[in-house]
mmCIF file of all heavy atoms in Angstrom:
data_model
loop_
_atom_site.group_PDB
_atom_site.id
_atom_site.type_symbol
_atom_site.label_atom_id
_atom_site.label_comp_id
_atom_site.label_asym_id
_atom_site.label_seq_id
_atom_site.Cartn_x
_atom_site.Cartn_y
_atom_site.Cartn_z
ATOM 1 N N HIS O 1 7.646 11.222 1.072
ATOM 2 C CA HIS O 1 6.439 11.360 1.888
ATOM 3 C C HIS O 1 5.363 12.182 1.170
ATOM 4 O O HIS O 1 4.178 11.859 1.250
ATOM 5 C CB HIS O 1 6.769 11.966 3.255
ATOM 6 C CG HIS O 1 7.313 10.968 4.214
ATOM 7 N ND1 HIS O 1 6.514 10.069 4.896
ATOM 8 C CD2 HIS O 1 8.584 10.692 4.598
ATOM 9 C CE1 HIS O 1 7.258 9.298 5.656
ATOM 10 N NE2 HIS O 1 8.526 9.658 5.500
ATOM 11 N N ILE O 2 5.766 13.220 0.469
ATOM 12 C CA ILE O 2 4.799 14.018 -0.298
ATOM 13 C C ILE O 2 4.195 13.164 -1.414
ATOM 14 O O ILE O 2 2.978 13.123 -1.598
ATOM 15 C CB ILE O 2 5.466 15.294 -0.856
ATOM 16 C CG1 ILE O 2 5.772 16.255 0.295
ATOM 17 C CG2 ILE O 2 4.585 15.963 -1.915
ATOM 18 C CD1 ILE O 2 6.627 17.453 -0.102
ATOM 19 N N GLY O 3 5.042 12.458 -2.157
ATOM 20 C CA GLY O 3 4.560 11.606 -3.248
ATOM 21 C C GLY O 3 3.701 10.460 -2.763
ATOM 22 O O GLY O 3 2.729 10.084 -3.427
ATOM 23 N N ASN O 4 4.020 9.911 -1.610
ATOM 24 C CA ASN O 4 3.253 8.805 -1.060
ATOM 25 C C ASN O 4 1.814 9.214 -0.744
ATOM 26 O O ASN O 4 0.919 8.376 -0.699
ATOM 27 C CB ASN O 4 3.939 8.271 0.203
ATOM 28 C CG ASN O 4 3.334 6.976 0.682
ATOM 29 O OD1 ASN O 4 3.145 6.038 -0.097
ATOM 30 N ND2 ASN O 4 3.012 6.914 1.963
ATOM 31 N N ARG O 5 1.590 10.500 -0.578
ATOM 32 C CA ARG O 5 0.238 11.004 -0.311
ATOM 33 C C ARG O 5 -0.422 11.552 -1.576
ATOM 34 O O ARG O 5 -1.457 12.195 -1.502
ATOM 35 C CB ARG O 5 0.295 12.062 0.792
ATOM 36 C CG ARG O 5 0.458 11.386 2.143
ATOM 37 C CD ARG O 5 1.240 12.203 3.127
ATOM 38 N NE ARG O 5 1.450 11.442 4.355
ATOM 39 C CZ ARG O 5 2.477 10.637 4.568
ATOM 40 N NH1 ARG O 5 3.389 10.448 3.635
ATOM 41 N NH2 ARG O 5 2.604 9.997 5.706
ATOM 42 N N HIS O 6 0.190 11.306 -2.722
ATOM 43 C CA HIS O 6 -0.341 11.741 -4.024
ATOM 44 C C HIS O 6 -0.634 13.235 -4.041
ATOM 45 O O HIS O 6 -1.617 13.680 -4.629
ATOM 46 C CB HIS O 6 -1.583 10.927 -4.421
ATOM 47 C CG HIS O 6 -1.270 9.495 -4.649
ATOM 48 N ND1 HIS O 6 -0.964 8.997 -5.887
ATOM 49 C CD2 HIS O 6 -1.187 8.460 -3.783
ATOM 50 C CE1 HIS O 6 -0.713 7.708 -5.781
ATOM 51 N NE2 HIS O 6 -0.831 7.364 -4.523
ATOM 52 N N THR O 7 0.218 13.994 -3.395
ATOM 53 C CA THR O 7 0.076 15.443 -3.333
ATOM 54 C C THR O 7 0.741 16.064 -4.552
ATOM 55 O O THR O 7 1.918 15.817 -4.798
ATOM 56 C CB THR O 7 0.736 15.976 -2.038
ATOM 57 O OG1 THR O 7 0.106 15.355 -0.917
ATOM 58 C CG2 THR O 7 0.634 17.477 -1.923
ATOM 59 N N PRO O 8 0.027 16.864 -5.340
ATOM 60 C CA PRO O 8 0.676 17.551 -6.463
ATOM 61 C C PRO O 8 1.882 18.335 -5.947
ATOM 62 O O PRO O 8 1.818 18.977 -4.887
ATOM 63 C CB PRO O 8 -0.405 18.484 -6.998
ATOM 64 C CG PRO O 8 -1.696 17.879 -6.545
ATOM 65 C CD PRO O 8 -1.390 17.233 -5.219
ATOM 66 N N CYS O 9 2.987 18.270 -6.674
ATOM 67 C CA CYS O 9 4.236 18.845 -6.189
ATOM 68 C C CYS O 9 5.039 19.450 -7.342
ATOM 69 O O CYS O 9 5.258 18.797 -8.359
ATOM 70 C CB CYS O 9 5.047 17.758 -5.498
ATOM 71 S SG CYS O 9 6.583 18.324 -4.761
ATOM 72 N N GLN O 10 5.475 20.681 -7.144
ATOM 73 C CA GLN O 10 6.384 21.340 -8.076
ATOM 74 C C GLN O 10 7.793 21.103 -7.555
ATOM 75 O O GLN O 10 8.114 21.484 -6.432
ATOM 76 C CB GLN O 10 6.067 22.837 -8.149
ATOM 77 C CG GLN O 10 6.924 23.594 -9.132
ATOM 78 C CD GLN O 10 6.437 25.035 -9.283
ATOM 79 O OE1 GLN O 10 5.248 25.320 -9.167
ATOM 80 N NE2 GLN O 10 7.369 25.933 -9.542
ATOM 81 N N ILE O 11 8.633 20.480 -8.363
ATOM 82 C CA ILE O 11 9.975 20.100 -7.945
ATOM 83 C C ILE O 11 10.989 21.063 -8.539
ATOM 84 O O ILE O 11 11.064 21.226 -9.756
ATOM 85 C CB ILE O 11 10.279 18.651 -8.384
ATOM 86 C CG1 ILE O 11 9.249 17.708 -7.772
ATOM 87 C CG2 ILE O 11 11.706 18.260 -8.008
ATOM 88 C CD1 ILE O 11 9.277 16.306 -8.339
ATOM 89 N N GLU O 12 11.764 21.699 -7.680
ATOM 90 C CA GLU O 12 12.798 22.628 -8.104
ATOM 91 C C GLU O 12 14.095 22.279 -7.383
ATOM 92 O O GLU O 12 14.072 21.575 -6.367
ATOM 93 C CB GLU O 12 12.398 24.069 -7.764
ATOM 94 C CG GLU O 12 11.139 24.525 -8.463
ATOM 95 C CD GLU O 12 10.760 25.955 -8.097
ATOM 96 O OE1 GLU O 12 11.478 26.595 -7.291
ATOM 97 O OE2 GLU O 12 9.737 26.427 -8.624
ATOM 98 N N ALA O 13 15.203 22.790 -7.867
ATOM 99 C CA ALA O 13 16.483 22.580 -7.193
ATOM 100 C C ALA O 13 16.415 23.229 -5.814
ATOM 101 O O ALA O 13 16.196 24.427 -5.696
ATOM 102 C CB ALA O 13 17.622 23.184 -8.006
ATOM 103 N N GLY O 14 16.523 22.420 -4.771
ATOM 104 C CA GLY O 14 16.573 22.939 -3.420
ATOM 105 C C GLY O 14 15.242 23.145 -2.723
ATOM 106 O O GLY O 14 15.221 23.486 -1.537
ATOM 107 N N ARG O 15 14.117 22.969 -3.417
ATOM 108 C CA ARG O 15 12.833 23.151 -2.752
ATOM 109 C C ARG O 15 11.720 22.425 -3.503
ATOM 110 O O ARG O 15 11.821 22.129 -4.687
ATOM 111 C CB ARG O 15 12.470 24.614 -2.594
ATOM 112 C CG ARG O 15 12.025 25.277 -3.885
ATOM 113 C CD ARG O 15 11.574 26.698 -3.647
ATOM 114 N NE ARG O 15 10.959 27.245 -4.854
ATOM 115 C CZ ARG O 15 10.203 28.315 -4.874
ATOM 116 N NH1 ARG O 15 9.966 28.975 -3.754
ATOM 117 N NH2 ARG O 15 9.686 28.759 -5.995
ATOM 118 N N LEU O 16 10.644 22.183 -2.771
ATOM 119 C CA LEU O 16 9.414 21.630 -3.325
ATOM 120 C C LEU O 16 8.301 22.624 -3.013
ATOM 121 O O LEU O 16 8.323 23.286 -1.972
ATOM 122 C CB LEU O 16 9.091 20.282 -2.679
ATOM 123 C CG LEU O 16 10.180 19.214 -2.747
ATOM 124 C CD1 LEU O 16 9.788 18.000 -1.902
ATOM 125 C CD2 LEU O 16 10.447 18.814 -4.175
ATOM 126 N N LEU O 17 7.325 22.734 -3.913
ATOM 127 C CA LEU O 17 6.139 23.558 -3.667
ATOM 128 C C LEU O 17 4.915 22.653 -3.708
ATOM 129 O O LEU O 17 4.782 21.830 -4.622
ATOM 130 C CB LEU O 17 5.990 24.646 -4.727
ATOM 131 C CG LEU O 17 7.023 25.766 -4.709
ATOM 132 C CD1 LEU O 17 6.833 26.689 -5.915
ATOM 133 C CD2 LEU O 17 6.953 26.564 -3.425
ATOM 134 N N ILE O 18 4.050 22.799 -2.704
ATOM 135 C CA ILE O 18 2.809 22.044 -2.649
ATOM 136 C C ILE O 18 1.677 22.987 -2.249
ATOM 137 O O ILE O 18 1.916 24.085 -1.734
ATOM 138 C CB ILE O 18 2.880 20.848 -1.669
ATOM 139 C CG1 ILE O 18 3.144 21.314 -0.233
ATOM 140 C CG2 ILE O 18 3.937 19.845 -2.125
ATOM 141 C CD1 ILE O 18 3.043 20.220 0.815
ATOM 142 N N GLN O 19 0.434 22.551 -2.475
ATOM 143 C CA GLN O 19 -0.710 23.330 -2.034
ATOM 144 C C GLN O 19 -0.765 23.331 -0.511
ATOM 145 O O GLN O 19 -0.325 22.382 0.137
ATOM 146 C CB GLN O 19 -1.998 22.746 -2.617
ATOM 147 C CG GLN O 19 -2.065 22.892 -4.122
ATOM 148 C CD GLN O 19 -3.221 22.127 -4.716
ATOM 149 O OE1 GLN O 19 -3.391 20.950 -4.443
ATOM 150 N NE2 GLN O 19 -4.013 22.798 -5.536
ATOM 151 N N ARG O 20 -1.322 24.396 0.046
ATOM 152 C CA ARG O 20 -1.420 24.493 1.500
ATOM 153 C C ARG O 20 -2.388 23.453 2.041
ATOM 154 O O ARG O 20 -3.495 23.298 1.550
ATOM 155 C CB ARG O 20 -1.864 25.897 1.917
ATOM 156 C CG ARG O 20 -0.775 26.925 1.689
ATOM 157 C CD ARG O 20 -1.107 28.256 2.298
ATOM 158 N NE ARG O 20 -0.129 29.249 1.877
ATOM 159 C CZ ARG O 20 -0.203 30.525 2.181
ATOM 160 N NH1 ARG O 20 -1.215 30.968 2.925
ATOM 161 N NH2 ARG O 20 0.713 31.363 1.756
ATOM 162 N N ASP O 21 -1.913 22.726 3.030
ATOM 163 C CA ASP O 21 -2.690 21.676 3.677
ATOM 164 C C ASP O 21 -2.118 21.520 5.082
ATOM 165 O O ASP O 21 -0.945 21.149 5.229
ATOM 166 C CB ASP O 21 -2.566 20.380 2.879
ATOM 167 C CG ASP O 21 -3.323 19.215 3.480
ATOM 168 O OD1 ASP O 21 -3.123 18.924 4.678
ATOM 169 O OD2 ASP O 21 -4.097 18.580 2.747
ATOM 170 N N HIS O 22 -2.914 21.798 6.101
ATOM 171 C CA HIS O 22 -2.388 21.775 7.465
ATOM 172 C C HIS O 22 -1.969 20.377 7.919
ATOM 173 O O HIS O 22 -1.039 20.237 8.713
ATOM 174 C CB HIS O 22 -3.390 22.404 8.446
ATOM 175 C CG HIS O 22 -4.612 21.575 8.688
ATOM 176 N ND1 HIS O 22 -5.688 21.568 7.828
ATOM 177 C CD2 HIS O 22 -4.919 20.717 9.686
ATOM 178 C CE1 HIS O 22 -6.610 20.752 8.287
ATOM 179 N NE2 HIS O 22 -6.180 20.214 9.404
ATOM 180 N N VAL O 23 -2.616 19.339 7.411
ATOM 181 C CA VAL O 23 -2.251 17.977 7.798
ATOM 182 C C VAL O 23 -0.882 17.611 7.212
ATOM 183 O O VAL O 23 -0.010 17.087 7.914
ATOM 184 C CB VAL O 23 -3.341 16.974 7.350
ATOM 185 C CG1 VAL O 23 -2.900 15.538 7.597
ATOM 186 C CG2 VAL O 23 -4.655 17.269 8.055
ATOM 187 N N ILE O 24 -0.674 17.904 5.925
ATOM 188 C CA ILE O 24 0.613 17.615 5.280
ATOM 189 C C ILE O 24 1.705 18.481 5.917
ATOM 190 O O ILE O 24 2.826 18.014 6.163
ATOM 191 C CB ILE O 24 0.537 17.847 3.756
ATOM 192 C CG1 ILE O 24 -0.516 16.941 3.119
ATOM 193 C CG2 ILE O 24 1.904 17.677 3.101
ATOM 194 C CD1 ILE O 24 -0.186 15.476 3.131
ATOM 195 N N ARG O 25 1.377 19.745 6.201
ATOM 196 C CA ARG O 25 2.353 20.641 6.836
ATOM 197 C C ARG O 25 2.822 20.068 8.173
ATOM 198 O O ARG O 25 4.017 20.050 8.479
ATOM 199 C CB ARG O 25 1.747 22.020 7.023
ATOM 200 C CG ARG O 25 2.709 22.995 7.660
ATOM 201 C CD ARG O 25 2.080 24.339 7.941
ATOM 202 N NE ARG O 25 3.141 25.250 8.283
ATOM 203 C CZ ARG O 25 3.206 26.499 7.877
ATOM 204 N NH1 ARG O 25 2.267 27.004 7.116
ATOM 205 N NH2 ARG O 25 4.222 27.266 8.230
ATOM 206 N N ASP O 26 1.889 19.584 8.988
ATOM 207 C CA ASP O 26 2.228 19.004 10.282
ATOM 208 C C ASP O 26 3.110 17.766 10.108
ATOM 209 O O ASP O 26 4.107 17.602 10.802
ATOM 210 C CB ASP O 26 0.942 18.649 11.039
ATOM 211 C CG ASP O 26 1.225 18.107 12.423
ATOM 212 O OD1 ASP O 26 1.866 18.826 13.223
ATOM 213 O OD2 ASP O 26 0.805 16.961 12.710
ATOM 214 N N MET O 27 2.747 16.900 9.153
ATOM 215 C CA MET O 27 3.533 15.696 8.897
ATOM 216 C C MET O 27 4.959 16.069 8.471
ATOM 217 O O MET O 27 5.931 15.489 8.940
ATOM 218 C CB MET O 27 2.849 14.849 7.813
ATOM 219 C CG MET O 27 3.579 13.575 7.421
ATOM 220 S SD MET O 27 4.797 13.723 6.083
ATOM 221 C CE MET O 27 3.872 14.393 4.744
ATOM 222 N N LEU O 28 5.087 17.062 7.592
ATOM 223 C CA LEU O 28 6.415 17.467 7.118
ATOM 224 C C LEU O 28 7.271 18.008 8.255
ATOM 225 O O LEU O 28 8.471 17.733 8.328
ATOM 226 C CB LEU O 28 6.280 18.498 5.990
ATOM 227 C CG LEU O 28 5.722 17.958 4.678
ATOM 228 C CD1 LEU O 28 5.366 19.101 3.730
ATOM 229 C CD2 LEU O 28 6.687 16.989 4.030
ATOM 230 N N GLY O 29 6.662 18.768 9.150
ATOM 231 C CA GLY O 29 7.401 19.266 10.312
ATOM 232 C C GLY O 29 7.911 18.140 11.192
ATOM 233 O O GLY O 29 9.030 18.205 11.714
ATOM 234 N N LYS O 30 7.116 17.088 11.319
ATOM 235 C CA LYS O 30 7.506 15.950 12.161
ATOM 236 C C LYS O 30 8.673 15.166 11.578
ATOM 237 O O LYS O 30 9.387 14.481 12.310
ATOM 238 C CB LYS O 30 6.312 15.037 12.386
ATOM 239 C CG LYS O 30 5.286 15.638 13.315
ATOM 240 C CD LYS O 30 4.084 14.738 13.480
ATOM 241 C CE LYS O 30 3.086 15.412 14.434
ATOM 242 N NZ LYS O 30 1.849 14.665 14.539
ATOM 243 N N ILE O 31 8.877 15.240 10.267
ATOM 244 C CA ILE O 31 10.006 14.509 9.667
ATOM 245 C C ILE O 31 11.196 15.435 9.386
ATOM 246 O O ILE O 31 12.138 15.053 8.703
ATOM 247 C CB ILE O 31 9.588 13.743 8.387
ATOM 248 C CG1 ILE O 31 9.126 14.689 7.277
ATOM 249 C CG2 ILE O 31 8.524 12.705 8.710
ATOM 250 C CD1 ILE O 31 8.950 14.005 5.931
ATOM 251 N N GLY O 32 11.150 16.656 9.919
ATOM 252 C CA GLY O 32 12.306 17.540 9.854
ATOM 253 C C GLY O 32 12.338 18.527 8.701
ATOM 254 O O GLY O 32 13.351 19.193 8.485
ATOM 255 N N ALA O 33 11.258 18.654 7.956
ATOM 256 C CA ALA O 33 11.229 19.612 6.852
ATOM 257 C C ALA O 33 11.009 21.026 7.395
ATOM 258 O O ALA O 33 10.405 21.222 8.442
ATOM 259 C CB ALA O 33 10.108 19.260 5.876
ATOM 260 N N THR O 34 11.509 21.990 6.666
ATOM 261 C CA THR O 34 11.216 23.396 6.934
ATOM 262 C C THR O 34 10.116 23.801 5.966
ATOM 263 O O THR O 34 10.248 23.597 4.756
ATOM 264 C CB THR O 34 12.467 24.267 6.721
ATOM 265 O OG1 THR O 34 13.496 23.813 7.609
ATOM 266 C CG2 THR O 34 12.169 25.729 6.971
ATOM 267 N N VAL O 35 9.031 24.348 6.476
ATOM 268 C CA VAL O 35 7.878 24.694 5.657
ATOM 269 C C VAL O 35 7.584 26.183 5.824
ATOM 270 O O VAL O 35 7.517 26.683 6.946
ATOM 271 C CB VAL O 35 6.642 23.853 6.050
ATOM 272 C CG1 VAL O 35 5.459 24.187 5.172
ATOM 273 C CG2 VAL O 35 6.962 22.357 5.977
ATOM 274 N N ARG O 36 7.418 26.861 4.695
ATOM 275 C CA ARG O 36 7.162 28.304 4.696
ATOM 276 C C ARG O 36 6.012 28.596 3.748
ATOM 277 O O ARG O 36 5.955 28.048 2.645
ATOM 278 C CB ARG O 36 8.433 29.023 4.226
ATOM 279 C CG ARG O 36 8.354 30.530 4.195
ATOM 280 C CD ARG O 36 9.721 31.128 3.868
ATOM 281 N NE ARG O 36 10.091 30.943 2.481
ATOM 282 C CZ ARG O 36 9.939 31.872 1.528
ATOM 283 N NH1 ARG O 36 9.414 33.040 1.803
ATOM 284 N NH2 ARG O 36 10.313 31.622 0.291
ATOM 285 N N GLU O 37 5.095 29.470 4.146
ATOM 286 C CA GLU O 37 3.994 29.867 3.280
ATOM 287 C C GLU O 37 4.491 30.863 2.241
ATOM 288 O O GLU O 37 5.213 31.805 2.576
ATOM 289 C CB GLU O 37 2.856 30.486 4.111
ATOM 290 C CG GLU O 37 2.170 29.482 5.002
ATOM 291 C CD GLU O 37 0.998 30.064 5.773
ATOM 292 O OE1 GLU O 37 0.760 31.289 5.702
ATOM 293 O OE2 GLU O 37 0.317 29.271 6.455
#
């Protein structure tokens, strides 16, 4: 879902890092992701 939105993403074992975006954050919450600032 992050890649489908062409969002720059840092990929690490066990987590992803993306720039803060309230729309993407809301979408991620709806698909069951845990998001922390």
Side-chain angles (χ1 to χ4, degrees):
H1 280 281
I2 290 171
N4 190 49
R5 283 148 185 89
H6 295 267
T7 301
C9 183
Q10 182 173 328
I11 301 169
E12 298 180 0
R15 74 175 189 163
L16 305 172
L17 291 174
I18 61 172
Q19 293 171 309
R20 289 189 189 176
D21 179 307
H22 71 278
V23 173
I24 300 292
R25 181 184 192 139
D26 183 59
M27 179 271 304
L28 291 169
K30 288 178 180 174
I31 63 169
T34 300
V35 182
R36 181 174 73 98
E37 292 183 355

